[in-house]
């Protein structure tokens, strides 16, 4: 059993309190590889931002649970080496689907876990979330739970249809589970194909998706004033990355994300954690495709992973500074 505090990590409690009060959101970036981890840390240090590094069950299967855990420990050391004396790095389990998985992560040094019982009947979702909270809080690990279902596919998590969070349930759910933050469904979804072109409106040649349900968010905030709210599925699927991928041999059709203005607006509310995974995948793939097309003789992975890492870092910095507003928000630099 390792406690996250011994690894130099922090939980989400204090950073969420400051983010809700300050009207900004903490970035929650998924990682599976060393290059993603390095880019996340470089971006967080350069912008002096707290950051959540999150790992899904699929990432643990891909990279190995122990390796990811040690990479997060390495992230703290790396941030310090880069000149940040007091980094605020959370190691978070994304979409935990069982008590056992959450417990395993807590016992391995995670500082935050999500238990996703959103697909379960209401009472079962509460019972499962409460069981995880009761265990996690013994070790001061924070817990995110979810009400409402997001559509889309992400690792093992998939749902054909979304169901918006019902504001009338949130007080009962938050009180009875004791969760520290609540992921809600207001129109975001996982993956790079969040909307069909038919759901969008064509404005000046650009497909604009329907707006998020800010009325539901406002009702939730009214019921739970100051309570930390989480938005999953918040990649904006930048067209320049999609175009680069397609220009250099890819085939990504009808990729549509959440416009950044919508996320900026959400970040100013009680939404204090915004999850971004697909944009990192796109940034990495675009840079690798471009590099290999322009340098067909290259075969050393460092030759194409270096520009991939640079491109991800640029994207992370852009999100932190121009969308979420968490730059300069470390408690101590
Ligand atoms: P995106 O697919 O929009 O990046 O969402 C990621 C996410 O919500 C991880 O939980």
């Amino acid at each position: 059993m390792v406690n996250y505090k011994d690894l130099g990590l922090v939980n989400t409690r204090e950073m969420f309190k400051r983010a809700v009060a300050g009207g900004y959101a903490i970035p929650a970036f998924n990682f599976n590889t060393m290059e993603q981890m390095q880019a996340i840390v470089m971006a967080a240090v350069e912008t002096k931002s707290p950051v959540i590094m999150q790992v899904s069950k699929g990432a643990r299967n891909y990279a190995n649970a122990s390796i990811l855990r040690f990479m997060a420990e390495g992230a703290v050391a790396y941030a310090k080496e880069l000149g940040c004396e007091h980094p605020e790095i959370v190691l978070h389990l994304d979409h935990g689907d069982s008590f056992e998985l959450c417990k395993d992560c807590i016992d391995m040094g995670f500082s935050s876990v999500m238990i996703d019982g959103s697909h379960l009947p209401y009472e079962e979702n509460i019972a499962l979330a409460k069981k995880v909270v009761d265990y996690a809080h013994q070790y001061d690990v924070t817990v995110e739970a979810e009400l409402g279902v997001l559509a889309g596919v992400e690792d093992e998590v998939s749902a054909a249809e979304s169901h918006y969070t019902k504001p009338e349930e949130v007080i009962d759910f938050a009180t009875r589970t004791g969760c520290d933050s609540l992921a809600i469904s207001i129109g975001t979804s996982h993956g790079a194909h969040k909307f069909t072109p038919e759901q969008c409106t064509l404005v000046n040649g650009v497909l604009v998706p329907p707006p998020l349900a800010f009325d539901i968010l406002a009702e939730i905030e009214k019921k739970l004033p100051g309570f930390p709210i989480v938005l999953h599925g918040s990649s904006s699927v930048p067209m320049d990355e999609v175009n680069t991928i397609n220009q250099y041999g890819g085939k990504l059709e009808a990729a549509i994300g959440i416009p950044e203005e919508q996320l900026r607006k959400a970040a100013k509310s009680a939404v204090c954690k915004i999850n971004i995974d697909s944009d990192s995948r796109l940034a990495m793939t675009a840079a690798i495709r471009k590099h290999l097309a322009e340098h067909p003789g290259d075969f050393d992975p460092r030759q194409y992973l270096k520009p991939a890492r640079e491109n991800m870092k640029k994207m992370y910095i852009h999100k932190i500074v121009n969308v979420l507003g968490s730059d300069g928000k470390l408690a101590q630099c």
Side-chain angles (χ1 to χ4, degrees), residues 295-330:
H295 306 86
D298 281 0
F299 66 97
D300 178 343
R302 291 171 296 187
Q303 290 167 315
Y304 52 85
L305 289 176
K306 198 170 169 196
R309 188 170 64 191
E310 274 309 304
N311 205 34
M312 288 189 286
K313 176 185 163 191
K314 196 173 96 194
M315 185 277 292
Y316 293 136
I317 290 178
H318 166 69
K319 298 286 176 186
I320 289 171
V321 175
N322 302 318
V323 185
L324 280 68
S326 63
D327 49 313
K329 298 298 196 290
L330 285 175

Side-chain angles (χ1 to χ4, degrees), residues 30 54 94-95 154 189-191 194 232-235 275-278:
N30 290 69
Q54 53 188 20
D94 192 24
H95 293 289
E154 191 206 19
S189 58
H190 293 118
K194 301 187 189 301
H232 281 247
S234 296
S235 278
N275 286 12
I276 295 170
D277 186 2
S278 299

